[in-house]
Amino acid sequence: MNKLQYSLTAKISAFFLLYLSGYMMLSSAYILLVGARIEELVVRSIWPFSWLLTKAATALPLSILLNVILFAYLLSAAGKQQDSEEIILNGWDRIPTELITAGCAAMFLLGILLTPVTFGVGSNYRYGLSTSLDFAVVLSLMLFYFYSIFMLWCTTIVKRLRTQTLITNSLIYRLFSLLRLIFFHLAEVYQAGIAVIIFGLINIILIFKMWSGLAVLIFLMFNLAVFIFILQLALQVSLLKQTMQQIAAGQLEVHLDSSKFWFTFREQAEALNEISAGLQKAVEERMSSERLKTELITNVSHDIKTPLTSIINYIDLLKKTEIENEQALAYLDILEQKSHRLKDLIEDLMEAAKASTGNLTVELVQINVNELLRQITGEYDERLRERGLEIVQTLPEEKIIINADRRHLSRLLDNLFSNIKKYAQPQTRVYLDLQADDKKMSLFLKNISAEKLNISPEELMERFVRGDKSRHTEGSGLGLSIARSLTELQGGLFNIRIIGDLFEVEIVFPRIGEEAAPAEDNFTEDNYS
């Protein structure tokens, strides 16, 4: 079964059809009631349905059925929109239920009171009835008026029922909720209630004593003192609000002097101080835990690296001896390969731990990004071509100068190109695009992944994550994590985007003016090793 159409045009059309069918229903009933007394002149007064004189008995049940169908459709369409099941509320639906009901009832009653005036419109009468065209027009307007009010009330009640706000949006419910809230917080509000009562009583007494000049002076001084007292309370509320906003923004060191607050505001100030202290303690414990983890990783990695270096040295010594067994030589090659891979993993692990905690030394200098990218791409061009990867780079003619650490920035780019070499689809292109404006520099690296990237960018940025099927390839899964940490350590932003199999990295650094840069930047292999 097809869904009903709830477009605005369909609703408006249904309402006008409902109005016309109602007019036809009343006209048919009018003709049947008058019966033999009616004549052609009277029939004209019920325009545009004067043709119902001989068909009123048939038109009446049809018009009633049409009224019921259209009324049911308008109620079912109340609050709904085209291609949406969500109930939309408007301003009328937010008026308390008692007020909208009383308002519609008052307007309906006003229309009923004006009905006798309507029947007196016109100057042509026959059988005690007006037969002028004015009567028909005014009657049509009155009928439209009643239908509009009735449908307004019905639709807003239906929408309130569907959204379960018929009761909750009533004045009685709001009053009950307020009384219930006051009852359950009586300890907090009774002071304010007593203060209001005392204030009112004193003002009443002073007003009755206004004939005395001293009473007038006391009246003015008392109200001035109350005004200052209210301002002080408002200031305390403002301080509490400001402190909550600071805590929400991460400023956990804020502290309020609770001795300067009055009444229940003192308790609120003390509670905020406890919240701030608790959060600060939790953050410090988390940072301490992270530092302990980093120290543990660093120490364990160092303890593993020492014997691993000995293993690599002994493998090198064995390879220099005359070993005739080819299978033993093959075993040595495997041992050498795996030991070097384990060494690289340990070094990456140590660097990731240091970078994530900011324990690396950063020496910011002015760097010509164009020149650095040309040297990095020149270094990796041959390696990438071995896997059928072609670098397509777009570098601006002007120099792009940023403040960064040369060693860390070179390691950052080295990690990214190393990832491309490992995980990019062979026989594809690698796009490098450097863009800049007056305030920032943006570097984009794009490549097609050899494996399906069925993982979110957030998960891919985690440590030891390389996707599902790429776990059998070389690599530690730390490259992107180290790259992000190194970027943030130098004051930059690191973002990745995944669109299908397209993998894109964006690196953003603040740009500095070219006039502040040195005339020439000389880069060596040490800069990015």
Side-chain angles (χ1 to χ4, degrees):
M1 182 179 178
N2 294 331
K3 291 184 178 180
L4 292 174
Q5 297 295 317
Y6 293 131
S7 64
L8 181 61
T9 304
K11 294 178 184 179
I12 295 175
S13 301
F15 174 76
F16 275 100
L17 286 175
L18 177 68
Y19 158 67
L20 292 176
S21 63
Y23 196 104
M24 184 172 66
M25 178 182 65
L26 292 178
S27 301
S28 302
Y30 178 70
I31 293 172
L32 292 176
L33 288 174
V34 173
R37 294 176 57 204
I38 202 163
E39 290 186 0
E40 185 64 25
L41 185 61
V42 178
V43 171
R44 293 198 192 101
S45 68
I46 59 172
W47 173 90
F49 296 116
S50 56
W51 50 271
L52 289 175
L53 180 61
T54 58
K55 301 179 181 180
T58 305
L60 181 61
L62 291 178
S63 60
I64 293 175
L65 178 62
L66 185 59
N67 260 265
V68 172
I69 294 174
L70 291 172
F71 181 71
Y73 166 78
L74 288 174
L75 292 185
S76 68
K80 295 184 179 179
Q81 291 184 338
Q82 186 72 16
D83 301 326
S84 176
E85 293 296 327
E86 182 182 2
I87 304 300
I88 307 299
L89 301 178
N90 54 35
W92 290 106
D93 306 315
R94 292 178 174 86
I95 299 175
T97 305
E98 298 94 338
L99 293 183
I100 193 70
T101 301
C104 290
M107 294 173 67
F108 208 88
L109 181 60
L110 178 63
I112 294 176
L113 295 176
L114 293 176
T115 300
V117 179
T118 302
F119 280 93
V121 173
S123 56
N124 297 325
Y125 287 86
R126 195 173 181 84
Y127 303 108
L129 299 173
S130 174
T131 58
S132 67
L133 182 60
D134 295 339
F135 170 80
V137 173
V138 175
L139 182 61
S140 302
L141 293 176
M142 290 299 299
L143 186 63
F144 184 83
Y145 174 80
F146 285 123
Y147 263 74
S148 300
I149 296 174
F150 182 68
M151 288 307 304
L152 172 64
W153 182 80
C154 289
T155 53
T156 188
I157 293 298
V158 169
K159 286 190 281 186
R160 292 162 195 256
L161 288 172
R162 288 177 175 173
T163 56
Q164 299 179 354
T165 59
L166 180 66
I167 303 298
T168 58
N169 193 22
S170 64
L171 292 176
I172 296 176
Y173 180 85
R174 294 181 184 183
L175 179 60
F176 175 78
S177 299
L178 177 61
L179 294 176
R180 182 174 178 271
L181 188 64
I182 292 174
F183 177 78
F184 283 105
H185 296 84
L186 192 60
E188 289 82 7
V189 301
Y190 83 95
Q191 296 175 345
I194 293 175
V196 171
I197 293 173
I198 294 175
F199 174 76
L201 291 175
I202 293 176
N203 272 285
I204 291 173
I205 294 173
L206 291 175
I207 289 174
F208 280 102
K209 298 290 185 179
M210 287 295 285
W211 55 269
S212 172
L214 179 61
V216 173
L217 179 62
I218 294 175
F219 176 81
L220 294 176
M221 292 181 62
F222 173 73
N223 282 275
L224 178 61
V226 170
F227 178 72
I228 295 174
F229 176 77
I230 293 174
L231 289 181
Q232 184 66 25
L233 292 181
L235 178 61
Q236 294 182 10
V237 172
S238 177
L239 288 175
L240 291 173
K241 180 180 178 182
Q242 182 181 358
T243 302
M244 286 188 289
Q245 291 175 343
Q246 289 175 337
I247 293 176
Q251 301 177 22
L252 304 181
E253 67 282 356
V254 295
H255 182 81
L256 289 172
D257 186 1
S258 58
S259 63
K260 297 181 179 180
F261 288 81
W262 299 340
F263 309 120
T264 187
F265 297 136
R266 177 173 298 179
E267 298 175 2
Q268 303 301 324
E270 292 173 352
L272 284 177
N273 288 336
E274 292 176 1
I275 292 173
S276 176
L279 289 175
Q280 193 169 3
K281 182 180 179 181
V283 170
E284 291 175 354
E285 290 178 351
R286 178 65 181 271
M287 293 178 64
S288 177
S289 175
E290 290 294 328
R291 283 195 297 268
L292 289 175
K293 290 179 183 178
T294 302
E295 291 176 1
L296 177 62
I297 292 173
T298 304
N299 293 334
V300 172
S301 299
H302 185 271
D303 292 340
I304 296 175
K305 188 177 180 181
T306 301
L308 181 61
T309 304
S310 299
I311 294 173
I312 294 174
N313 292 335
Y314 279 114
I315 292 173
D316 185 58
L317 291 174
L318 284 174
K319 293 188 71 174
K320 291 180 180 179
T321 60
E322 296 180 359
I323 300 177
E324 297 180 357
N325 191 329
E326 294 183 358
Q327 189 172 8
L329 290 173
Y331 289 158
L332 283 176
D333 289 336
I334 295 174
L335 284 173
E336 183 180 29
Q337 178 184 357
K338 299 300 181 182
S339 60
H340 279 290
R341 182 178 177 185
L342 182 57
K343 181 182 178 182
D344 292 339
L345 174 60
I346 293 173
E347 290 176 350
D348 286 346
L349 188 60
M350 294 176 66
E351 185 166 3
K354 292 179 180 179
S356 62
T357 56
N359 289 334
L360 291 176
T361 302
V362 178
E363 297 180 2
L364 297 179
V365 296
Q366 295 174 356
I367 297 177
N368 185 342
V369 182
N370 313 58
E371 187 63 28
L372 179 60
L373 288 175
R374 291 191 184 97
Q375 294 198 28
I376 292 289
T377 54
E379 176 77 16
Y380 272 90
D381 185 63
E382 184 176 351
R383 304 182 200 176
L384 296 178
R385 288 187 182 277
E386 291 176 358
R387 298 201 66 227
L389 298 171
E390 177 187 356
I391 301 178
V392 179
Q393 55 182 329
T394 305
L395 303 178
E397 295 293 335
E398 59 176 330
K399 288 184 179 181
I400 307 301
I401 309 298
I402 64 172
N403 276 332
D405 186 294
R406 289 186 178 181
R407 183 171 61 88
H408 295 330
L409 184 59
S410 299
R411 176 60 194 273
L412 159 65
L413 295 173
D414 183 74
N415 278 8
L416 294 178
F417 276 96
S418 177
N419 273 355
I420 291 173
K421 177 178 176 294
K422 295 172 186 175
Y423 306 122
Q425 175 71 35
Q427 310 303 322
T428 58
R429 295 183 179 88
V430 178
Y431 291 89
L432 185 150
D433 185 14
L434 179 62
Q435 301 176 7
D437 54 26
D438 295 337
K439 296 183 179 180
K440 69 179 185 300
M441 172 223 77
S442 299
L443 174 63
F444 298 91
L445 272 172
K446 304 175 186 177
N447 67 272
I448 302 298
S449 174
E451 302 291 344
K452 293 180 180 179
L453 294 175
N454 53 346
I455 188 172
S456 67
E458 292 76 17
E459 293 175 319
L460 196 59
M461 294 285 283
E462 297 295 329
R463 298 179 187 177
F464 307 107
V465 175
R466 291 175 287 163
D468 292 338
K469 296 186 178 180
S470 61
R471 291 185 179 274
H472 301 292
T473 62
E474 60 175 322
S476 61
L478 292 169
L480 290 177
S481 177
I482 293 174
R484 178 179 63 177
S485 298
L486 290 176
T487 304
E488 294 174 351
L489 198 62
Q490 301 172 83
L493 297 176
F494 186 91
N495 299 309
I496 64 175
R497 281 183 285 271
I498 297 176
I499 307 175
D501 292 334
L502 175 64
F503 179 78
E504 179 182 1
V505 174
E506 179 187 10
I507 302 171
V508 181
F509 276 98
R511 183 184 179 186
I512 63 175
E514 184 176 346
E515 63 278 0
E520 189 67 34
D521 282 307
N522 295 319
F523 294 90
T524 63
E525 186 175 352
D526 294 336
N527 294 134
Y528 52 90
S529 60

